[in-house]
Amino acid sequence: MKPPQTLETKRLCLRQPIPEDAGSIFEQYAQDPEVTKYLSWQPHQSIRETDEFIDRCISVWANHSAFPYVLICKQDAQLIGMIEIRINQYKADLGYVLARSEWGKGYMTEAMQALTNWALAQDEIYRVWAFCDVENPASARVMEKVGMQREGVLKRWFIHPNIAKEPRDCYCYAISK
């Protein structure tokens, strides 16, 4: 199963990443330590790292192992973040990142709602889920706003290399049909 190449919301266009996106991604958020604090990767030190990331995005779309989207603001055509959906049999999980300048404007909730709605409209998908560090209330709030319920704490679940070298506790959120 493969999601659509593009999705549109009221304010956003979600589309597959292309090599030309690397500069915007690097400038908008990939090198920002505050944005990457709770992510699985460290801030990019050079555009080359972002180019390699884009190559990975293109590759995972091609082999259907994950489906990353860049978020383009319709108002000014600026790339402001990314969201990725990974489909595993009857469930899908989401991960996301947003430029600091766009925090608190509802963009990620809008993007996440679009992908969650698409996933739950598929006959084969019964569960959409995501997780966040227990010290990341903004991310938890995004998941709550799209109707996900906190299912519990995943003890020592994930390493956020910008915080610690050991796995940290994370909240698990999900919505199912």
Side-chain angles (χ1 to χ4, degrees):
M1 176 183 333
K2 188 169 141 179
Q5 291 183 346
T6 61
L7 285 168
E8 299 236 357
T9 70
K10 182 178 178 182
R11 301 180 296 162
L12 299 170
C13 176
L14 286 66
R15 65 160 171 78
Q16 290 179 287
I18 57 174
E20 293 77 15
D21 293 330
S24 293
I25 291 170
F26 182 76
E27 290 299 320
Q28 289 282 5
Y29 64 84
Q31 43 64 45
D32 186 335
E34 189 63 26
V35 170
T36 59
K37 181 176 181 179
Y38 294 110
L39 298 181
S40 62
W41 45 274
Q42 294 182 320
H44 292 184
Q45 299 302 308
S46 71
I47 190 75
R48 177 174 292 213
E49 287 180 80
T50 310
D51 287 332
E52 291 169 0
F53 169 72
I54 293 291
D55 290 345
R56 174 240 172 232
C57 290
I58 292 168
S59 174
V60 297
W61 260 97
N63 69 24
H64 301 177
S65 61
F67 305 96
Y69 292 87
V70 292
L71 309 181
I72 306 296
C73 187
K74 288 180 178 179
Q75 180 180 1
D76 57 11
Q78 291 297 307
L79 189 155
I80 60 170
M82 290 190 77
I83 189 167
E84 181 173 284
I85 186 168
R86 295 165 292 268
I87 301 167
N88 182 2
Q89 296 177 334
Y90 55 87
K91 55 190 174 286
D93 72 280
L94 300 169
Y96 46 89
V97 60
L98 189 66
R100 189 181 345 178
S101 63
E102 306 307 319
W103 289 358
K105 298 178 182 178
Y107 286 122
M108 192 50 68
T109 301
E110 196 172 313
M112 198 160 166
Q113 190 71 68
L115 267 180
T116 299
N117 290 349
W118 173 84
L120 291 175
Q122 308 310 302
D123 290 340
E124 303 89 352
I125 298 177
Y126 292 89
R127 173 185 172 85
V128 179
W129 70 283
F131 68 89
C132 69
D133 191 277
V134 295
E135 293 180 6
N136 190 353
S139 188
R141 187 71 187 120
V142 168
M143 291 182 261
E144 291 166 355
K145 285 180 180 178
V146 300
M148 291 184 177
Q149 300 293 312
R150 185 184 299 171
E151 295 184 331
V153 176
L154 302 168
K155 300 302 258 182
R156 304 289 249 170
W157 178 255
F158 199 79
I159 295 174
H160 295 103
N162 301 304
I163 302 172
K165 293 180 180 174
E166 296 180 355
R168 293 175 50 85
D169 293 352
C170 294
Y171 291 130
C172 178
Y173 282 84
I175 187 170
S176 60
K177 60 180 180 184

